[in-house]
Amino acid sequence: RGQGVFWNGQVVVDFSRQFVEVHQQELMVPLDMLRLPHSSEQEEEQQQEQRLLQQQQKQEVAVGAADLDEKFVAAQIQLMEKHRSWARYRFVLLTGLFGSYVVASVGIPMMNMRHVSCGQGFFWEDHLPFFGLLCMTKACELAIYVFDPTIQGDLNFMQFMMKFLPSFLGYLDGYTDATSIAIAHSCDTDIAQNLSESMVFTYLVGVVFL
């Protein structure tokens, strides 16, 4: 009749009076308290389907990433097998450069402790051997980056400089720490002597061993 919803000839919802007539009961319920059938169940089903779909997508992404990792590792192993001699020479070169760095960082300050000054530090000539080692090491790193066939991918100029230039500071860190210990030890005050001893301990633990 355009005024409500009928079921088996009886009015279930009367839109004109905003009330609900319950079948076989004389109970009147306001329309705003009427719970629409299946609305919450449908929402729960939709949410559950979405969660299942998200889980399935995550599993597919994880499986795809695992496949890519396995392919990359297999390709890297094959590449290393192909250039085994190059990898061997590179390992020997880098090991020698690292050993030279450790010896120079610790040995140069110790060799020149007899003439180090508390106020002036070392002579500038004392730093030349380490400077030469620094230049040689960085030249070897550039050569490895350019000619090593096992390195995959490349960097643009800005990305390369953002990684290469800060490496100079990291390389100087161990050497400057050792020279500061020698300078502190050359001072005659008790504070400087105690400080140098604590610096030796932290240097051995934090720089050499760790």
Side-chain angles (χ1 to χ4, degrees):
R1 300 176 184 178
Q3 296 181 351
V5 178
F6 292 84
W7 179 260
N8 291 334
Q10 295 189 4
V11 177
V12 178
V13 180
D14 188 351
F15 295 105
S16 64
R17 294 181 301 163
Q18 299 293 311
F19 282 96
V20 177
E21 182 178 356
V22 181
H23 181 58
Q24 294 181 350
Q25 293 186 8
E26 295 180 357
L27 176 64
M28 305 300 293
V29 181
L31 184 62
D32 56 359
M33 297 179 61
L34 178 64
R35 183 178 179 182
L36 297 177
H38 306 297
S39 60
S40 61
E41 296 179 357
Q42 291 177 354
E43 292 178 358
E44 292 179 357
E45 291 179 357
Q46 292 177 356
Q47 293 177 359
Q48 186 175 2
E49 291 178 357
Q50 291 178 357
R51 288 194 295 267
L52 293 175
L53 181 61
Q54 292 176 356
Q55 292 178 358
Q56 184 178 1
Q57 292 176 349
K58 291 180 179 179
Q59 292 176 356
E60 292 177 354
V61 171
V63 171
D67 292 339
L68 290 177
D69 291 339
E70 292 179 357
K71 292 179 180 178
F72 175 78
V73 171
Q76 192 69 17
I77 293 175
Q78 184 178 2
L79 190 63
M80 292 296 293
E81 291 292 334
K82 182 179 180 181
H83 302 282
R84 180 178 297 180
S85 59
W86 176 272
R88 187 183 303 111
Y89 295 146
R90 183 186 62 188
F91 176 77
V92 173
L93 175 62
L94 294 178
T95 303
L97 290 175
F98 178 73
S100 301
Y101 169 74
V102 174
V103 172
S105 297
V106 179
I108 292 176
M110 292 182 61
M111 291 174 58
N112 298 309
M113 287 186 65
R114 61 184 182 276
H115 60 258
V116 65
S117 172
C118 179
Q120 301 296 325
F122 292 88
F123 295 114
W124 66 270
E125 296 91 342
D126 297 335
H127 302 299
L128 289 178
F130 185 83
F131 178 74
L133 179 62
L134 169 65
C135 295
M136 183 179 66
T137 301
K138 293 305 174 181
C140 292
E141 291 178 357
L142 290 175
I144 291 174
Y145 178 76
V146 173
F147 299 108
D148 190 353
T150 62
I151 296 179
Q152 297 182 356
D154 54 357
L155 302 174
N156 58 40
F157 180 76
M158 289 301 298
Q159 291 176 337
F160 176 79
M161 297 305 292
M162 289 295 294
K163 295 178 181 296
F164 184 68
L165 292 181
S167 67
F168 284 83
L169 300 178
Y171 195 89
L172 292 170
D173 181 64
Y175 178 70
T176 54
D177 288 346
T179 56
S180 64
I181 294 174
I183 294 173
H185 183 71
S186 65
C187 300
D188 295 332
T189 61
D190 294 337
I191 296 177
Q193 294 299 318
N194 295 331
L195 180 62
S196 65
E197 293 177 359
S198 61
M199 291 171 67
V200 169
F201 175 77
T202 55
Y203 182 80
L204 292 175
V205 175
V207 178
V208 176
F209 295 107
L210 298 180

